[in-house]
Amino acid sequence: MKIRVVQSVLENNKSAASKNRDRLTKTGVLCVNVLSAPGSGKTSLLQKTIARLNEEHPCAVLVGDLQTTRDAERLTNATAEVVQINTGRGCHLTASQVEAGLKELSLDGLSFVFIENVGNMVCPAGFDLGEHARAVLLSTPEGSDKVAKYPTLFQTADVILLSKIDLSEVLEYHGEQVREDLEQINTRAPLIEISAQTNVGIERWVQWLLENRSRMLDGLVARNA
Amino acid sequence: MHELSIAMNLVDQLLDLVEQHNVAGVDAVVLRVGALSHVDFEAMAEAFTEASRDTAAEGASLQMTETPAVMECLDCRERFESDGENFACPNCRRANTRVVEGEDILLMSVELREKQGVAQQ
């Protein structure tokens, strides 16, 4: 017996993601999914970001890792609310893991939830978690051809952060290659050069976050809608 | 590696269909895989074997075809196919674009195996 179905295999994830997004939007919390390769500086960036924002705009972080709670420990010094999600065998976070993580947080009173995804530039790209925006990092030591190598991930970015920019001189880093590649892949997202060491670009990134939260409160940010 | 979580979702959906239609199992599954979903067919076939083991979906054949990425330009609203490496609008030459199709994995049809004796009645 042959039957026609036509349904998304990712349906469970999609419906959990839209529930997450509705819940976050209703409570006025902007949720940003932060993605990159391992070691690009997601945790350091979030430490800096939270230190800058937390007093006026309370932040929480959901941290996805295959193993350990080390990133969560680093972030706990910067904010009260950190939830560790160990994915075990999983190479990406899923919307239902995020749903469970959000239940651990008291969303009322929060302005931002950051999701630090598992360090991986392939698998997390296809999984909507219910975020309002995606921030994709690439760091100068990774080389300047990452954008062309992982076009799908960079295509989905709403903001792209070129991190560890303080090392660009010693690495003789060619940022033009990144810009050139982005011309073909994503000119929608702003590119911000940042350094968690010297604070270069942190203010511009923080302003981007605050603007996007205002837009969300005005009903203008509607990812995947 | 994310093929395993996709395969586990697929098997859950297949088992729901088996229950709904009160059949013995699944013989064949047809999927349309979006070019931007990063699903490797070989890895997906292996993951499906793993995820369906000891279930009513075990042994089902898996037929996969790739569907292209379709983009929309946010400036001129042109819709165009992308090779998955270049997302710039052919008119505007800028990549101020969004994905319309190509991220999803669709279960199109299934061949269900009826319980023995039911067919003859």
Side-chain angles (χ1 to χ4, degrees):
Chain A
M1 173 173 51
K2 186 175 176 170
I3 55 167
R4 255 175 77 76
V5 190
V6 196
Q7 66 188 27
S8 173
V9 177
L10 305 172
E11 194 47 52
N12 277 347
N13 191 71
K14 284 186 193 178
S15 65
S18 35
K19 261 193 256 162
N20 289 345
R21 191 157 29 245
D22 286 351
R23 188 158 170 241
L24 289 155
T25 306
K26 271 185 200 132
T27 40
V29 181
L30 186 84
C31 181
V32 181
N33 187 0
V34 183
L35 304 111
S36 79
S40 299
K42 290 186 293 298
T43 310
S44 297
L45 170 73
L46 290 177
Q47 283 176 309
K48 278 277 156 152
T49 309
I50 290 158
R52 163 68 179 76
L53 280 172
N54 205 37
E55 203 172 318
E56 222 178 315
H57 307 279
C59 302
V61 189
L62 305 181
V63 187
D65 270 307
L66 272 73
Q67 296 293 340
T68 83
T69 56
R70 286 181 192 171
D71 284 354
E73 285 157 22
R74 282 170 64 190
L75 287 161
T76 306
N77 299 325
T79 174
E81 300 229 65
V82 181
V83 178
Q84 175 77 47
I85 303 167
N86 279 125
T87 56
R89 285 173 79 189
C91 46
H92 60 88
L93 284 171
T94 64
S96 46
Q97 288 167 339
V98 168
E99 185 185 357
L102 289 175
K103 280 188 186 142
E104 302 288 311
L105 298 173
S106 38
L107 292 180
D108 287 331
L110 283 181
S111 297
F112 294 97
V113 169
F114 297 98
I115 303 171
E116 186 180 334
N117 218 313
V118 177
N120 180 327
M121 299 189 93
V122 180
C123 308
F127 290 84
D128 182 7
L129 302 179
E131 70 269 29
H132 297 101
R134 279 189 177 189
V136 177
L137 269 81
L138 77 158
S139 67
T140 54
E142 293 167 58
S144 53
D145 54 0
K146 273 271 159 87
V147 174
K149 281 185 178 165
Y150 299 93
T152 312
L153 179 63
F154 284 97
Q155 193 283 323
T156 67
D158 297 301
V159 59
I160 296 161
L161 303 167
L162 181 54
S163 68
K164 307 188 190 180
I165 200 70
D166 52 305
L167 299 177
S168 59
E169 204 167 312
V170 64
L171 293 167
E172 297 181 32
Y173 190 76
H174 301 293
E176 317 84 68
Q177 184 68 58
V178 170
R179 281 186 191 81
E180 212 173 283
D181 290 342
L182 283 173
E183 287 294 314
Q184 309 297 315
I185 288 162
N186 186 345
T187 53
R188 182 172 42 82
L191 174 70
I192 306 178
E193 296 184 349
I194 57 155
S195 165
Q197 291 297 317
T198 64
N199 285 332
V200 167
I202 297 293
E203 200 49 41
R204 201 176 149 210
W205 153 244
V206 164
Q207 288 310 317
W208 184 91
L209 289 168
L210 292 170
E211 273 164 33
N212 275 272
R213 179 157 183 264
S214 304
R215 282 163 56 83
M216 181 207 64
L217 295 175
D218 293 340
L220 295 173
V221 172
R223 199 184 160 72
N224 297 326
Chain B
M1 215 169 105
H2 62 311
E3 284 84 358
L4 186 60
S5 71
I6 294 168
M8 284 160 68
N9 277 300
L10 173 61
V11 170
D12 284 344
Q13 292 182 0
L14 295 175
L15 297 181
D16 283 348
L17 290 168
V18 165
E19 201 179 301
Q20 273 170 37
H21 294 271
N22 191 28
V23 291
V26 183
D27 283 333
V29 178
V30 177
L31 293 184
R32 294 183 66 173
V33 180
L36 302 178
S37 67
H38 277 293
V39 168
D40 178 82
F41 285 9
E42 216 170 296
M44 184 66 195
E46 278 173 30
F48 180 71
T49 305
E50 191 71 33
S52 61
R53 183 162 294 146
D54 300 325
T55 73
E58 184 172 10
S61 74
L62 191 58
Q63 188 207 319
M64 291 175 272
T65 48
E66 191 174 279
T67 53
V70 178
M71 308 296 296
E72 183 185 41
C73 175
L74 297 173
D75 294 324
C76 75
R77 297 288 156 187
E78 170 86 359
R79 289 196 174 196
F80 60 96
E81 269 187 28
S82 159
D83 59 3
E85 288 175 11
N86 186 334
F87 300 105
C89 171
N91 294 335
C92 308
R93 310 264 167 212
R94 284 166 46 79
N96 184 25
T97 54
R98 72 176 186 99
V99 178
V100 181
E101 278 171 42
E103 288 178 328
D104 216 340
I105 300 149
L106 292 177
L107 172 59
M108 299 303 292
S109 66
V110 291
E111 184 84 42
L112 298 172
R113 185 171 62 253
E114 300 194 25
K115 286 179 177 168
Q116 280 194 336
V118 174
Q120 287 97 310
Q121 281 171 8

